Amino acid sequence: MQFVPAKSILSPYTQENRWFACNYNMNLYRGCNHGCIYCDSRSNCYHVEDFDQVRSKQNALEILERELSTKKKKGVIGLGAMSDSYNPFEKKYQITRQALQLIDKYGFGVAIATKSNLITRDIDIFQRIQKHSPVLLKISITTADDQLSQTIEKHVVPSSKRFQAIQQLNQAGIFAGILMMPILPFIEDTDENILTIVELAHQNQTKFIYAGFGVTLRENQRTHFFKKLSQDFPHLREKYIQTYGNQYSCISPRAEHLYSLFNAKCKQHNIPYRMKEIIQAYTSPYKKEQLSFL
């Protein structure tokens, strides 16, 4: 793994663009080797060359400690927006784990998005953090079919292991749930897939599901996605081109129907699925005087 220079680690979210009520965003790694065919982080606008090669930011922990120690405003730090903090190199280098220890030390909360079950390794730190600040763990699952997940997310553990990770996290008292996005049109946007994900989520004690029925495509990411379609779903490449052209937002033609189905199933199992409800659920145990979320 290469180490690249970095001047800063934390960046603030604007008031208008706060994903799951995070106050700060942090990416300890650049690039990702999960091999997901749909990853928007490949897009040119993010300026990550050789995206499949994972690199760590040099002196990331020293920079992070300096920034945390000087922040007057505490808050929730988001991880995983651009690259997965639990890539395979994390098992050896433990950069994410050490960063979480600093987050705990300086009294911040954390919200993590990942596709890896390695996140269960850090249950002990999450339990410490949540004694003083919110913890939100989001496991990405877009298909209930392990074989399909291994096709569209080549180097990620199969969906079944991610469901198991959610159960393990929630049994440990951590607020963990599912990011059910992107749902790829013509591949994953079936009634059976959506209903099965929600049912398995319920069986594995998920705290929430947040869904998006479509995929975003732009710049070189569109080229990469079409290349993968040609390899694994050759009958769909032309269908995508005819349906969406060069659109950025490629919403499933079945989105309205699927969202209605999804809503009803979540309500049946009393699973929060709206952003506002999820934020309220994971932040409500903490006093507003300590953190300003909304």
Side-chain angles (χ1 to χ4, degrees), residues 39-40 43 52-53 120 123 168 172 193 211 236 240 251 285-286:
C39 185
D40 183 64
S43 301
D52 294 291
Q53 180 181 353
T120 59
I123 283 175
Q168 188 176 346
N193 184 46
L236 290 181
Y240 263 85
I251 305 300
Y286 305 90

Side-chain angles (χ1 to χ4, degrees), residues 255-270:
E256 186 174 349
H257 165 75
L258 291 174
Y259 199 73
S260 176
L261 204 68
F262 168 74
N263 290 359
K265 191 68 171 177
C266 286
K267 288 178 179 177
Q268 176 188 337
H269 292 307
N270 198 28

